[in-house]
Structure formats: structure tokens, C-alpha cells
């Protein structure tokens, strides 16, 4: 959710910059026939950009509404600062247009004002004491595009999203781990577990309850360590090892030192729900998530204890490289399975590699 939100914000910023460039680079007021054609093409392009920007604004607000519980205070301030900066740029742009007295200014300003009006309405919604469903239904009315309607309608009908709210999980991915554990009984009270790519924290919630790191009852007390390059809100029974990008430099040895400081002994399990920012190209995305899988495996090999109950769980997207990764996993574990939880959508390419009986 968070990565989708960031990616959508970047797309919106690109459209803002392109729109500003279109206005600055617009043709002059020459009466020549060729210049007139350029003006027409310019207005058509600008209308298309305005439409695209309006749709992106609406989708961005949907993601903002859904991701707001997981955003830190700094991210909230950055979001408001971004909108304030955009408003200032828009006001400056309108002033420049008035000074130049360019033809077709009224049509271009109308598109901008329409986007402002939509943004203002949604901004009021986000601060009103209404339910998320009410916000989403109102946003549908503001953005009539079929893709947004389909996505939001599917999200509202998703039974795991409903359960996620009723059972107080931060994300629907929690039910994937719950299903895997119910099926294979891999989590036990007293375990030491490392959660890679933990943000926003749904897997850490499941782990803390299953290994009893919250220290309830007479069962053995476990420990859960969480790490992600994105910040995560605190959770009871979860030790946050700080924002850390594991793909950069000596971050893996640094993670080992932090584990030794806080844990003091080898781990019983390493789980990874890490995924790269999607590019839209399936082959590129597959290669990137396989690289993250090998990174997670290297951490597991360094940190796991030699025991039959030690296991490694990792998410991957289907592709040709998954078999090379599977062969490498089998070299270090005695038992290997590929799992597709029912909580994972049918159209999704994600799979979970479960390896048990670590043998070094």
C-alpha cells in the first residue's frame, strides 16, 4: 500500500511538471497559419494533461485515504507541504498567463480550477468524521473513470479487507501468513523471528501473537524483530531495528550486529514479504524481486540456527528465475514447498516459498 501510494505521488508530480512545461513552452500570438495549428495542438494536449491530472489526483486521494493510518507525522507534513507548493505554482502560472494575454487561457485555467475544486472537496472529506467507505464512494463520484470504480468496488467487496478492519490488522496480507501458519504449523511460542520488509506491520502483528512476544499467559515468550526501509508505527512485542535499506552497502552486517545486540542468539525463522516498486514490466519486476529473494536468503543463512524447526518464508512473483532461486533454497533446507494462499488474489503472480529444516 505504501509503495503504491509513493509511486502514484511520483506520477502526479511528473504530470504537474509536464503541465507546467506545456504552458511555458506554448506558442505565441502570431497570426500565421502554422502558428494557429500549433496553438490548437497545444490546447488539445493541455486538455489531455488536465484530464489525466484530475484522474491522478482522485486516485492519489484514494491511496492517501487508505494509507493515512500508516503514515508518520513527517510524511503527513510533507504531503501538506506538497499541496501548498502546488497551489503556489498554480497561482504563479495563472498570473503569468494573465500578463501574456495568451489565446485560450480561459480554457486552460478552467481545467486547473476544476482540479482545485476536486482537491478541495477531497481534502475536506479526509478531515471529516466519516467512514472510509463514505470517502471512497464520494471519490468515485468525483472520478467517474471505470478503472477507479472497479478498483474501489473490488476493494470494498474484498472479505479480507472487511476482516482486516474487524480484527484490527494493518493490512490484508496478514491473512496470508495466518493461512500458511494454520496449514503448516511453522510458528511456535518462544521463537525468535526476523520480519524483513515489515512495514506497515501486518505480518509483525501475526508473528507477535503466534510466538507470544507480547508475553501473555504461561506460554514461552518469543521475540519479533522488524526491519524495513520505510518507517513503521510501533507495535507491542515487536523490536524495531530502524529504517534500513538492506540492498545498500554494508546494511546486512549492520543488521546482524543489531540482532546480536537485541537478541543475543541465532534466529528460529526469517520471513520476508519484501517486494520492489512495480515498473509495469513483468520481466523487470520479476528479476528485481528475485534479487530481493536472494538477499533475504543470504540473511537467513547467516542468522538462522541449525534446527529442524528453523524455517525461511519468502514472497516471489512467478517467472523463469524462480526455479534458480528454488534450487538455491533447497541446498540449505531439507524441506521445501511453494504455497499460494487463498488470501492472495487469483490474478496475482505472487507465490510464497516455504523452506524448513535448516541445514546450513
Amino acid at each position: 500500500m505504501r509503495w503504491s501510494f509513493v509511486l502514484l505521488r511520483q506520477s502526479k508530480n511528473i504530470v504537474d511538471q509536464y503541465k507546467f512545461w506545456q504552458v511555458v513552452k506554448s506558442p505565441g500570438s502570431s497570426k500565421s497559419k502554422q502558428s494557429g495549428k500549433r496553438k490548437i495542438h497545444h490546447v488539445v494536449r493541455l486538455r489531455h494533461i488536465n484530464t489525466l491530472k484530475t484522474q491522478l489526483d482522485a486516485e492519489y486521494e484514494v491511496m492517501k485515504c487508505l494509507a493515512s493510518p500508516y503514515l508518520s507525522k513527517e510524511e503527513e507534513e510533507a504531503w501538506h507541504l506538497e499541496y501548498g507548493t502546488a497551489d503556489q505554482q498554480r497561482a504563479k502560472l495563472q498570473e503569468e498567463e494573465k500578463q501574456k494575454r495568451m489565446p485560450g487561457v480561459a480554457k486552460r485555467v478552467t481545467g486547473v480550477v476544476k482540479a482545485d475544486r476536486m482537491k478541495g472537496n477531497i481534502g475536506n472529506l479526509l478531515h471529516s468524521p466519516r467512514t472510509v467507505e463514505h470517502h471512497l464512494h464520494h471519490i468515485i463520484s468525483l472520478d467517474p473513470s471505470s478503472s477507479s470504480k472497479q478498483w474501489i468496488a473490488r476493494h470494498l467487496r474484498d472479505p479480507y479487507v472487511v476482516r482486516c478492519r474487524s480484527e484490527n490488522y494493518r493490512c490484508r496480507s496478514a491473512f496470508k501468513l495466518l493461512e500458511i501458519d494454520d496449514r503448516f504449523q511453522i510458528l511456535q511460542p518462544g521463537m525468535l523471528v526476523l520480519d524483513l520488509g515489515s512495514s506497515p506491520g501486518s505480518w509483525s502483528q501475526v508473528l507477535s501473537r503466534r510466538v507470544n512476544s507480547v508475553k501473555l499467559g504461561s506460554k514461552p515468550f518469543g521475540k519479533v524483530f522488524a526491519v524495513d526501509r520505510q518507517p513503521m508505527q510501533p507495535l507491542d512485542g515487536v523490536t524495531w531495528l530502524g529504517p534500513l535499506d538492506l540492498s545498500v552497502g554494508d546494511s546486512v552486517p549492520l543488521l546482524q550486529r543489531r540482532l546480536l545486540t537485541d537478541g543475543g542468539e541465532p534466529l528460529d525463522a526469517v520471513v520476508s514479504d519484501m517486494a520492489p516498486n512495480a515498473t509495469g514490466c513483468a520481466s523487470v519486476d520479476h528479476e528485481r524481486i528475485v534479487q530481493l529473494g536472494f538477499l533475504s536468503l543470504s540473511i537467513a543463512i547467516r542468522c538462522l540456527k541449525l534446527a529442524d524447526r528453523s524455517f525461511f518464508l519468502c514472497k516471489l512473483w512467478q517467472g523463469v528465475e524462480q526455479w534458480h532461486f528454488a534450487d538455491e533454497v533447497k541446498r540449505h533446507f531439507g524441506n521445501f514447498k511453494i504455497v499460494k494462499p487463498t488470501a492472495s488474489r487469483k490474478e496475482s503472480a505472487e507465490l510464497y516459498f516455504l523452506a524448513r529444516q535448516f541445514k546450513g
Side-chain angles (χ1 to χ4, degrees):
M1 174 67 72
R2 178 185 295 276
W3 288 357
S4 301
F5 170 63
V6 172
L7 184 62
L8 196 57
R9 178 170 58 188
Q10 293 174 350
S11 301
K12 189 177 71 64
N13 290 339
I14 291 173
V15 172
D16 282 336
Q17 295 171 7
Y18 184 62
K19 180 178 180 302
F20 180 79
W21 179 86
Q22 286 283 353
V23 174
V24 172
K25 296 293 184 180
S26 59
S29 57
S30 173
K31 296 182 180 180
S32 65
K33 186 176 181 180
Q34 183 178 3
S35 179
K37 290 182 179 179
R38 289 174 61 196
K39 291 176 190 175
I40 293 174
H41 289 303
H42 168 68
V43 172
V44 171
R45 287 198 306 269
L46 200 53
R47 286 178 181 174
H48 176 70
I49 292 298
N50 282 334
T51 303
L52 179 60
K53 183 178 185 303
T54 302
Q55 293 177 356
L56 280 173
D57 280 344
E59 294 178 4
Y60 176 70
E61 295 298 344
V62 172
M63 299 301 296
K64 173 66 172 65
C65 183
L66 296 177
S68 57
Y70 315 125
L71 296 180
S72 63
K73 184 178 180 181
E74 292 76 11
E75 289 174 318
E76 289 281 357
E77 293 176 353
W79 184 77
H80 290 295
L81 179 62
E82 175 187 350
Y83 272 91
T85 305
D87 292 338
Q88 294 173 4
Q89 292 178 353
R90 201 170 287 112
K92 181 179 179 181
L93 187 60
Q94 293 178 7
E95 185 65 25
E96 291 178 355
E97 288 177 339
K98 289 180 181 179
Q99 293 177 359
K100 292 181 180 180
R101 300 181 181 276
M102 294 166 49
V105 169
K107 294 183 179 180
R108 288 194 290 273
V109 174
T110 301
V112 176
V113 172
K114 182 179 179 181
D116 283 342
R117 190 179 298 116
M118 173 180 283
K119 187 178 296 182
N121 291 340
I122 298 177
N124 294 333
L125 278 175
L126 293 177
H127 294 88
S128 62
R130 301 290 185 90
T131 62
V132 174
E133 288 83 356
H134 178 83
H135 296 336
L136 294 179
H137 283 302
H138 191 87
I139 292 172
I140 290 176
S141 65
L142 295 176
D143 179 22
S145 62
S146 59
S147 60
S148 297
K149 286 184 177 180
Q150 292 173 0
W151 184 89
I152 296 174
R154 184 185 69 172
H155 185 79
L156 293 176
R157 290 195 305 265
D158 192 330
Y160 293 103
V161 174
V162 177
R163 288 182 58 190
C164 184
R165 296 174 191 150
S166 62
E167 299 180 26
N168 197 27
Y169 285 112
R170 293 185 175 182
C171 185
R172 68 185 301 278
S173 61
F175 297 100
K176 302 173 186 177
L177 181 58
L178 285 170
E179 181 181 341
I180 294 174
D181 184 42
D182 291 340
R183 181 177 173 184
F184 297 102
Q185 302 294 319
I186 53 178
L187 294 172
Q188 302 173 17
M191 276 186 162
L192 274 66
V193 185
L194 173 61
D195 184 8
L196 300 175
S198 58
S199 183
S202 57
W203 275 33
S204 295
Q205 286 179 297
V206 175
L207 293 171
S208 63
R209 298 174 187 179
R210 293 295 172 102
V211 306
N212 197 25
S213 64
V214 291
K215 300 182 179 180
L216 297 176
S218 59
K219 295 181 180 179
F221 302 151
K223 289 184 179 180
V224 177
F225 304 98
V227 63
D228 198 309
R229 67 177 183 177
Q230 301 288 345
M232 187 181 80
Q233 296 297 325
L235 282 170
D236 292 337
V238 177
T239 302
W240 173 244
L241 299 180
L244 188 62
D245 190 349
L246 298 175
S247 62
V248 176
D250 58 348
S251 56
V252 174
L254 177 60
L255 175 62
Q256 281 187 283
R257 291 195 294 270
R258 292 182 181 179
L259 285 172
L260 290 175
T261 302
D262 295 325
E265 56 183 303
L267 301 173
D268 296 298
V270 173
V271 299
S272 172
D273 198 33
M274 291 193 296
N277 293 333
T279 63
C281 179
S283 59
V284 173
D285 293 339
H286 173 65
E287 291 180 0
R288 293 173 65 185
I289 198 171
V290 169
Q291 292 175 359
L292 290 177
F294 276 108
L295 177 62
S296 304
L297 178 61
S298 67
I299 295 173
I301 294 172
R302 294 185 182 191
C303 300
L304 284 177
K305 66 175 64 172
L306 293 173
D308 288 341
R309 75 170 189 171
S310 298
F311 71 90
F312 170 64
L313 179 64
C314 177
K315 178 170 75 174
L316 234 67
W317 292 328
Q318 296 179 27
V320 294
E321 295 296 328
Q322 75 181 60
W323 305 116
H324 299 293
F325 179 70
D327 292 339
E328 185 65 22
V329 173
K330 291 176 183 178
R331 290 181 56 244
H332 300 279
F333 293 86
N335 185 284
F336 173 78
K337 292 183 181 296
I338 298 179
V339 186
K340 174 78 171 179
T342 56
S344 179
R345 293 189 174 97
K346 293 182 179 180
E347 65 272 17
S348 174
E350 69 178 6
L351 298 171
Y352 287 89
F353 284 28
L354 175 61
R356 294 175 287 180
Q357 301 174 6
F358 180 60
K359 56 186 181 181

